[in-house]
Amino acid sequence: MANIFTGSSTLNNALSVDSVNRYSALFDSELSHQSNEAFSTITCRTPGTASNLRAIILFNNRTSSTTLVYRANGADGNQTITIGAGVAGTVEDTTHTDTLADGDAMAVKSTTGAGSAESLAITYIGMSIAVTSGSAKQIAASGSVGSSTASLTQYLPVAGALGQNNSENTARIYAPVALTLSNLQVYVSANARTTTTTYTSRNNGANGNQSVSYTSGQTGLKEDTTNSDSVTAGNHFCAKRVTSTGTGTITTKIVSCKVVTDGVGFPVFAKGTGNTGTDYYTFMSGDLEAGLTEADYAYPVPFNVTATNVTASVSANTSTTDVAVKLRINGADGTGVATITASTSGGFRDTTNSDDVPAGDTLNYSVTGATTGNPVIRAIGMFLTEYANPPSPTSGNFLAFM
């Protein structure tokens, strides 16, 4: 059994409507609040026990309570958070757990109270999972993208903010360590295409083994439960969508996959549409956004982790100087840094440094160093491994040397 944590983040989506339910994905995704639960739901392929549902509230002007609850198969689970009127900061359910069974439909529901027209901004929702077998995690890109062009190939990410582009380098995520990807899942909310549309995994610029297809008019969640792809450390991955001849629009809401590592650790990924600024902060997982207030992007780890292999994906680079993507711990530089070489695009990975991060310490990234021109950073990731607490001075396994 291995412990992992997962979550979604954004700064750009607030709850401001009274007495409504909204639904969010949880898996290194952009944090959005959908009115249709299916648009935020993926199928569980990492059975285990989920705990410590948590959220970070940036601001809260609502005059009534808001409730967050884990959802399984369209029903409320056990984990619940109540956010009182005006409450901001970190809120967490430290009491309840939910059993994740293979095949469960997973999401989180937010329910606003009555009598308030003000806003509640949640920047992060996440939870911990004790995975029953191996070190497995699911990731998902969430959002909404549509295609109406015949015979068109476009590339989509499998984590963070869901976008689409004719150029693969905009969708790529670089693997911090060797990964096995499986269980490609896609959710299509509307499909007026008159011919078949196919989604395929991509592995370092070539077609992978996983695929799902939607014939004319088909919608809903589809999954490849048979095939997998082995991604070498430092190589990149994403998904591809190909329309055939014909007419009509197809709308994609989720692209997801299962990620398994060789050891006991797990990756975290932040993926966006491309940041071009200088000297900014961003989240460690979910939506790759840029901002100047570090506290808005930092959130605590739920258990002790060692952070290694900070990795950045760059689609274009006009910077005349090297740029550093640094791991930040409690508002200070860690040792982990992916150095983006001046005027160079592609993947950049720190294979040397590591940082021990105790439970409760916050993590995020900073990007610094550009003076003339900028790199376009599309994704940042790293590898986390849980470590045990050191023995106390009073334990029988502790020996002090004076």
Side-chain angles (χ1 to χ4, degrees), residues 304 356 358 387-395 397-398:
N304 303 333
D356 287 341
Y387 70 87
N389 287 316
S392 68
T394 57
S395 73
N397 294 324
F398 183 87

Side-chain angles (χ1 to χ4, degrees), residues 57-321:
I57 316 304
L58 181 63
F59 65 83
N60 183 3
N61 297 324
R62 295 192 63 80
T63 58
S64 58
S65 295
T66 300
T67 301
L68 273 61
V69 60
Y70 171 74
R71 297 275 287 178
N73 301 318
D76 289 352
N78 301 316
Q79 297 177 87
T80 303
I81 298 170
T82 298
I83 304 166
V87 171
T90 301
V91 290
E92 182 176 7
D93 182 344
T94 59
T95 303
H96 301 99
T97 63
D98 287 283
T99 299
L100 309 185
D102 187 66
D104 279 357
M106 304 181 293
V108 167
K109 180 179 73 176
S110 306
T111 303
T112 54
S116 173
E118 301 300 327
S119 293
L120 166 69
I122 304 174
T123 60
Y124 172 81
I125 300 176
M127 65 182 182
S128 303
I129 304 174
V131 180
T132 302
S133 178
S135 185
K137 175 180 178 175
Q138 288 176 268
I139 58 176
S142 62
S144 184
V145 293
S147 179
S148 57
T149 303
S151 304
L152 178 65
T153 298
Q154 291 189 302
Y155 300 92
L156 298 83
V158 293
L162 181 62
Q164 61 186 16
N165 201 285
N166 296 353
S167 177
E168 185 169 11
N169 65 4
T170 64
R172 292 172 175 171
I173 298 173
Y174 282 80
V177 296
L179 305 173
T180 299
L181 309 183
S182 63
N183 297 89
L184 176 69
Q185 297 181 35
V186 176
Y187 189 91
V188 168
S189 61
N191 182 10
R193 296 292 303 165
T194 57
T195 53
T196 297
T197 301
T198 300
Y199 298 77
T200 305
S201 61
R202 296 281 289 175
N203 187 351
N204 210 41
N207 284 343
N209 300 315
Q210 304 173 76
S211 67
V212 296
S213 293
Y214 289 80
T215 59
S216 176
Q218 283 189 323
T219 59
L221 184 72
K222 288 198 173 189
E223 178 183 13
D224 184 337
T225 60
T226 303
N227 300 296
S228 64
D229 296 292
S230 296
V231 182
T232 302
N235 286 354
H236 53 80
F237 58 94
C238 63
K240 178 179 76 173
R241 183 190 60 218
V242 180
T243 57
S244 186
T245 58
T247 60
T249 299
I250 186 168
T251 302
T252 310
K253 292 290 189 179
I254 288 177
V255 181
S256 172
C257 67
K258 176 181 174 181
V259 179
V260 178
T261 66
D262 292 337
V264 296
F266 59 98
V268 291
F269 299 111
K271 174 73 179 73
T273 56
N275 290 335
T276 59
T278 59
D279 294 351
Y280 60 85
Y281 301 101
T282 191
F283 296 109
M284 73 163 162
S285 68
D287 193 5
L288 186 67
E289 297 179 343
L292 300 179
T293 303
E294 183 167 18
D296 293 347
Y297 298 91
Y299 49 85
V301 296
F303 49 80
N304 303 333
V305 292
T306 298
T308 62
N309 291 275
V310 174
T311 306
S313 175
V314 178
S315 62
N317 189 359
T318 60
S319 176
T320 58
T321 56

Side-chain angles (χ1 to χ4, degrees), residues 9-27:
S9 63
T10 193
L11 282 185
N12 297 320
N13 209 330
L15 294 166
S16 57
V17 180
D18 294 348
S19 303
V20 296
N21 295 328
R22 293 292 183 261
Y23 303 91
S24 304
L26 266 175
F27 301 93

